[in-house]
Amino acid sequence: MIKTFVTSIALCIATAAFAQAPSEGTVATWAAKPAHTWSAQTHMMLLDATRAGKRIVAVGEHGIVLLSDDDGKTYRQARTVPVSATLSAVTFTDDRHGWIVGQWGVILATNDGGETWSKQRMDTAVDQPLFSVLFTNDHDGIAVGLWSLMLQTHDGGKTWARTTLPKPPGGGKADRNLYHVFADRQGALYVSAEQGAVLKSTDGGVNWDYLATGGKGSLWSGVAMPDGRIVVGGLLGSLFQSSDGGATWRPLKAETKSSVTSLATAGKGLIAVGLDGLVVKQREDGAPLEVAQRPDRAALTAALIDATGRPILFSNEGVLAGL
C-alpha cells in the first residue's frame, strides 16, 4: 500500500544491495532475477499484506512474499517468485487467485494461493512503480502508480492496457501519483492520490472524476467501511471520511502529525497505521479515535486483524507483534 516514503527507502536499499553485489549488469537486471530465499524472512521490509482465504500473504523488498497458515504465528517464503524487485501491494479475489505489483511496473499473478508466482508485466525501460492493485473478480483488475500510471485488464492480467485520465480540476497535466485503489460495496472504484484528491469511477474504471476532500497533502490509503463510509488518510496524520460516496467529506481529527500509511476494517470499526509507530482505532462511526504509538516508533505499513481481534502489524522491520 502506499507508502511512498517507505517505498523510496526500499528502492534505495535495492540499489545499494546491487552496488555491493558481485554480479554484472544494471539495477533493472538484478531486479528481474528470481527472488532469493532469506534466512531472516520475517525481518525483511514489508509493504503490504492481505488474506487469501484464511492464509496471510505479505510482500516487500527484494521480491519477498511471505505466507502464514496459522493466523500470523509463523511465516515461510513463497516457493517461486520470478523477480527481486520491491513489491508494494498484493490483492486476492479468493483463496487461490492473487496479484502483486511493485517496482519497474511489475505485475505478478498466482493461482495456487501464493505458493508460486508468474510474471505478467515488467517494464525495465523506465522505473515507474505501481503502488496498488485491485481485482473485483478473476478477470477485471486495475493497478495504479507513479505519475498517474493506471493499467487495466479484463482477462485476468494476460493483457494490460493504459488508461488515460482526465486533467484534474484547475488545469494541468494528469500526472498526480496514484497511491491506493479500492472499491465500495456498490462496485464504485476509488483511488487515493496526491494533493488531497480522490478519484472515483462508477462504470468499472472507464470514466473517472476527481473528488476534493478538503485536504492538501498526499492520501496514501483508503478503505470502504461496512457501514458505507469511505475513509482516506495520509500525510501528517490526515484522515477524511465521506458518508455520501465522496460527494462531501469531513476530517477525522487524530491529533497526530505522524503520516497514515494504511487503513483497514476491524469488524465494524477502523484501524489506521503509519509512521512513527502510529496506530489509530475507531470502534464504530461516531466513536472517538483512539491514538497510540509503539515505543519502537517503527514505520508501520499494513495491518490485518487476527482471529482474536488483535492487529497483526507489518513494517519496515518486518512482522511485528500487535500493539
Side-chain angles (χ1 to χ4, degrees), residues 38-92:
W38 300 91
S39 58
Q41 301 168 356
T42 58
H43 296 288
M44 304 287 286
M45 180 183 293
L46 299 173
L47 295 176
D48 195 23
T50 193
R51 295 270 186 181
K54 293 184 178 180
R55 171 176 288 175
I56 293 173
V57 182
V59 302
E61 63 176 326
H62 301 312
I64 194 163
V65 178
L66 295 184
L67 310 176
S68 174
D69 291 314
D70 54 11
D71 209 22
K73 296 180 179 64
T74 61
Y75 292 83
R76 57 187 172 83
Q77 270 188 260
R79 292 202 304 267
T80 303
V81 179
V83 299
S84 292
T86 296
L87 305 176
S88 53
V90 57
T91 188
F92 274 77

Side-chain angles (χ1 to χ4, degrees), residues 14-33 104 124:
T15 303
F18 169 77
Q20 297 172 7
S23 58
E24 298 180 355
T26 65
V27 175
T29 301
W30 177 82
K33 293 182 178 181
W104 302 104
T124 56

Side-chain angles (χ1 to χ4, degrees), residues 179-228:
Y179 294 121
H180 186 70
V181 56
F182 60 102
D184 66 18
R185 293 190 174 187
Q186 287 70 47
L189 299 172
Y190 299 84
V191 179
S192 60
E194 285 186 303
Q195 300 178 32
V198 175
L199 284 74
K200 180 180 180 180
S201 173
T202 57
D203 56 9
V206 177
N207 296 287
W208 293 87
D209 295 316
Y210 290 86
L211 310 176
T213 62
K216 301 298 182 183
S218 293
L219 298 172
W220 290 345
S221 188
V223 66
M225 300 298 295
D227 57 19

